[in-house]
């Protein structure tokens, strides 16, 4: 957006892609904040407003005479079809788990199909979408082919509004170097995924440029048959056309009259809109979005403390009872105590061994020989005599 704001004048081109010598001041709406979250929320709500009500029949699943058999017959208590002499008699009915029964929670036509949208929020989203049409990076990120067009935003003379034939409209798009975006639309034509193939909308394709005009002198009929091209009046700008799918950055071609009318429609940051009641452009959350420039500014650096030479690191506290080195820092005498305890335990252990060995000698008895080990199965077999 900074590149757009830095160029306050926009050149007007004629239908042959030649500069007319006129320049138009960039409308203030192109400096509006770009909020993808607002655009996506409003776009989702607007998509709800085109839905048609649908529901299943109130009688579906209940067009049979069925009654439960009750308890005591070792069958479920689901209602069952009356009668006999046919497979249908005795079958479960009415329930959503039954063949031929109704669905669970049958749909009704009085569902909340549509969504109300605040007028200011809707205008906020449209202002963001218009501002995004002036940023080449967002347009190219959306997939449009604009590498050969002369300028962004692209403004053409009002003579384009008088084009009445589709072949003249195609010639205009070729001269303005926008036909590459139409070729992308032709190449993207494919079958729709899903049931829409059976509902008279078999094929889909990508979006091309949108033509924004002020007076319809034939431009609507001339461009409407070109795949991917939408034609919108500047007073009826629609978010579904400026940001299809909720994605910002559609390639827009403005006529001179429509481009000049944007200031009257949306106003500026110094005056209100002339065509909307008490409307001002939305304000930015941040006047400067370049965080690197902000953090490195002299004013901000002067208010910060100097950088610490050596960062302080947290020391892990160890248990002195488990780590002798930590204990020696607290109590150097602990080493002497530990050594004495070790020697004492060795002395006590050796005394017990000597006393145990001296006990048989004092009584005059020989030490009992250890009991012979029980022979194993292998040893028994090897010791048995071999029969001849």
């Amino acid at each position: 957006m900074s590149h757009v704001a830095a160029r306050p004048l926009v050149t007007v081109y004629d239908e042959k892609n030649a500069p007319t010598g006129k320049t138009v001041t960039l409308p203030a709406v192109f400096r509006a904040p770009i909020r993808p979250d607002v655009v996506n929320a409003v776009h989702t709500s607007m998509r709800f407003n085109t839905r048609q009500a649908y529901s299943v029949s109130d009688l579906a699943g209940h067009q049979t005479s069925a009654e439960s058999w009750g308890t005591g017959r070792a069958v479920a208590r689901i209602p069952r079809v009356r009668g006999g002499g046919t497979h249908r008699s005795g079958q479960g009915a009415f329930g959503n788990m039954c063949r031929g029964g109704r669905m669970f929670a049958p749909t009704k036509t009085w569902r909340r199909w549509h969504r109300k949208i605040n007028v200011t929020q809707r205008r906020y989203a449209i202002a963001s979408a218009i501002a995004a049409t002036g940023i080449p990076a967002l347009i190219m990120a959306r997939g449009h082919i604009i590498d050969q067009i002369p300028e962004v935003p692209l403004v053409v003379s009002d003579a384009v509004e008088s084009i009445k034939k589709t072949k003249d409209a195609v010639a205009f798009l070729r001269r303005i170097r926008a036909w590459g975006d139409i070729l992308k639309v032709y190449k993207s034509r494919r079958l729709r995924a899903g049931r829409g193939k059976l509902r008279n909308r078999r094929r889909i394709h990508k979006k091309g440029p949108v033509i924004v005009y002020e007076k319809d002198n034939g431009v609507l009929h001339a461009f409407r048959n070109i795949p991917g091209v939408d034609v919108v009046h500047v007073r009826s700008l629609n978010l579904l056309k400026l940001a299809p799918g909720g994605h910002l950055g559609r390639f827009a071609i403005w006529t001179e009259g429509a481009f000049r009318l944007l200031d009257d429609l949306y106003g500026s940051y110094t005056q209100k809109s002339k065509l909307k009641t008490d409307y001002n452009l939305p304000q930015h959350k941040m006047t400067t979005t370049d965080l690197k420039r902000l953090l490195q500014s002299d004013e901000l650096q002067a208010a910060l403390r100097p950088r610490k030479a050596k960062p302080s690191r947290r020391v892990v506290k160890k248990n002195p009872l488990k780590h002798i080195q930590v204990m020696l820092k607290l109590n150097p005498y602990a080493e002497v105590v530990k050594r004495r305890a070790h020697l004492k335990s060795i002395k006590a252990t050796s005394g017990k061994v000597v006393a145990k060995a001296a006990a048989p000698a004092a009584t005059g008895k020989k030490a009992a020989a250890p009991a012979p080990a029980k022979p194993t199965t292998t040893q028994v077999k090897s010791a048995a005599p071999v029969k001849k």
Side-chain angles (χ1 to χ4, degrees):
M1 189 174 65
S2 60
H3 298 289
V4 177
R7 179 171 40 81
L9 296 179
V10 181
T11 306
V12 179
Y13 295 85
D14 60 10
E15 64 275 13
K16 296 182 180 180
N17 198 21
T20 60
K22 296 181 182 179
T23 56
V24 184
T25 303
L26 187 74
V29 69
F30 280 89
R31 294 192 292 271
I34 297 177
R35 294 284 302 275
D37 54 341
V38 176
V39 171
N40 194 22
V42 174
H43 184 277
T44 303
S45 298
M46 291 181 68
R47 289 286 296 155
F48 283 156
N49 295 336
T50 60
R51 296 192 296 178
Q52 294 182 355
Y54 66 86
S55 69
V56 297
S57 172
D58 291 339
L59 302 177
H62 284 268
Q63 297 181 0
T64 184
S65 175
E67 189 177 1
S68 174
W69 290 355
T71 60
R73 302 184 64 175
V75 293
R77 284 177 284 187
I78 192 73
R80 298 178 183 276
V81 180
R82 295 170 179 269
T86 176
H87 290 294
R88 182 59 175 152
S89 60
Q91 290 184 351
F94 296 167
N96 64 314
M97 75 292 294
C98 298
R99 176 178 177 272
R102 53 158 173 79
M103 65 177 289
F104 168 75
T107 53
K108 304 295 181 182
T109 56
W110 55 79
R111 186 187 299 184
R112 180 169 166 258
W113 299 102
H114 302 148
R115 299 291 184 271
K116 291 183 178 179
I117 310 170
N118 292 342
V119 175
T120 306
Q121 192 175 20
R122 188 197 300 261
R123 290 174 179 172
Y124 197 143
I126 294 178
S128 294
I130 293 174
T133 61
I135 301 178
L138 292 180
I139 299 176
M140 297 178 72
R142 204 183 175 282
H144 292 287
I145 310 300
I146 61 169
D147 52 349
Q148 294 183 352
I149 64 172
E151 195 171 346
V152 174
L154 182 58
V155 181
V156 296
S157 64
D158 291 336
V160 177
E161 297 176 349
S162 300
I163 297 177
K164 295 181 173 60
K165 303 290 288 185
T166 302
K167 65 177 181 179
D168 296 334
V170 172
F172 161 72
L173 292 174
R174 290 182 183 274
R175 293 193 193 103
I176 209 69
R177 306 295 184 187
W179 189 250
D181 203 36
I182 308 298
L183 292 178
K184 173 207 67 177
V185 175
Y186 278 110
K187 293 178 181 179
S188 67
R189 194 163 182 262
R190 60 200 183 275
L191 281 177
R192 178 187 298 272
R195 304 292 294 180
K197 289 192 293 291
L198 310 179
R199 296 171 183 166
N200 201 27
R201 45 180 188 267
R202 290 186 63 82
R203 303 187 183 275
I204 57 175
H205 53 72
K206 292 184 178 180
K207 292 288 186 180
V210 58
I211 312 296
V212 185
Y213 67 93
E214 183 189 12
K215 296 180 181 179
D216 181 16
N217 296 325
V219 64
L220 184 62
H221 289 75
F223 284 90
R224 69 179 182 179
N225 202 32
I226 303 176
V229 177
D230 292 323
V231 186
V232 183
H233 193 277
V234 67
R235 290 175 180 261
S236 304
L237 289 176
N238 189 353
L239 186 67
L240 301 179
K241 303 293 185 182
L242 292 177
H247 306 300
L248 291 166
R250 187 168 188 185
F251 175 30
I253 301 175
W254 305 81
T255 63
E256 183 181 353
F259 202 70
R260 293 182 185 275
L261 194 62
L262 288 177
D263 273 336
D264 294 339
L265 279 171
Y266 293 95
S268 64
Y269 289 105
T270 57
Q271 61 180 4
K272 294 182 179 181
S273 170
K274 296 180 181 179
L275 302 178
K276 300 180 188 295
T277 304
D278 197 22
Y279 177 73
N280 292 313
L281 280 176
Q283 297 288 336
H284 286 270
K285 297 295 182 183
M286 298 177 64
T287 55
T288 303
T289 56
D290 192 351
L291 290 179
K292 184 177 180 180
R293 180 181 174 187
L294 282 176
L295 295 176
Q296 294 180 353
S297 62
D298 296 336
E299 296 83 1
L300 193 60
Q301 291 293 329
L304 298 177
R305 60 166 177 78
R307 180 183 296 179
K308 290 184 178 181
K310 185 179 180 181
S312 60
R313 300 186 182 278
R314 186 176 66 90
V315 179
V316 179
K317 184 179 179 180
K318 296 182 178 180
N319 188 356
L321 300 177
K322 295 183 179 180
H323 301 83
I324 187 61
Q325 299 298 332
V326 180
M327 176 61 82
L328 292 179
K329 288 183 179 180
L330 298 175
N331 181 18
Y333 191 71
E335 185 177 9
V336 179
V337 175
K338 187 175 182 179
R339 182 64 180 171
R340 285 182 177 178
H342 181 61
L343 294 175
K344 188 176 180 180
S345 63
I346 293 176
K347 186 177 180 181
T349 304
S350 62
K352 289 181 180 180
V353 173
V354 172
K356 190 175 182 180
T363 56
K365 297 181 180 179
K366 293 183 179 180
K374 185 177 181 181
T376 61
T377 307
T378 307
Q379 294 172 348
V380 172
K381 288 181 179 180
S382 62
V386 179
K387 293 183 181 180
K388 293 184 180 180

